[in-house]
Amino acid sequence: AELASYEEALAAYYSQQWDKAAGAFNALCSEHPDRNLYQLYLDRIRDLRNTGLPEDWDGVFVHTSK
């Protein structure tokens, strides 16, 4: 069930459906607080939400700081 929820959240993330992705990753964070990966995606969504990404964006995240 966790894997199916993660795949759904990831699909929303890649299609830039930020609200849907954030909701799904928030639910995963609540259910699995020991998994840092879900919070990482929430942080990325916060940063990418207002970024003008191209329609063919492939999900690559470019780190700009350490």
Side-chain angles (χ1 to χ4, degrees):
E2 180 183 354
L3 182 57
S5 295
Y6 171 69
E7 289 175 346
E8 183 178 317
L10 201 56
Y13 174 84
Y14 285 134
S15 63
Q16 300 180 40
Q17 296 175 0
W18 303 127
D19 292 336
K20 182 177 180 180
F25 282 118
N26 272 317
L28 285 162
C29 274
S30 294
E31 295 169 16
H32 308 282
D34 58 321
R35 299 215 193 342
N36 296 328
L37 177 64
Y38 304 139
Q39 184 59 52
L40 175 77
Y41 275 106
L42 287 170
D43 294 343
R44 288 182 178 178
I45 289 168
R46 183 194 66 230
D47 293 341
L48 294 171
R49 187 180 288 269
N50 296 317
T51 302
L53 296 172
E55 285 186 33
D56 64 345
W57 177 68
D58 61 2
V60 171
F61 184 81
V62 179
H63 292 276
T64 57
S65 64
K66 284 187 171 183

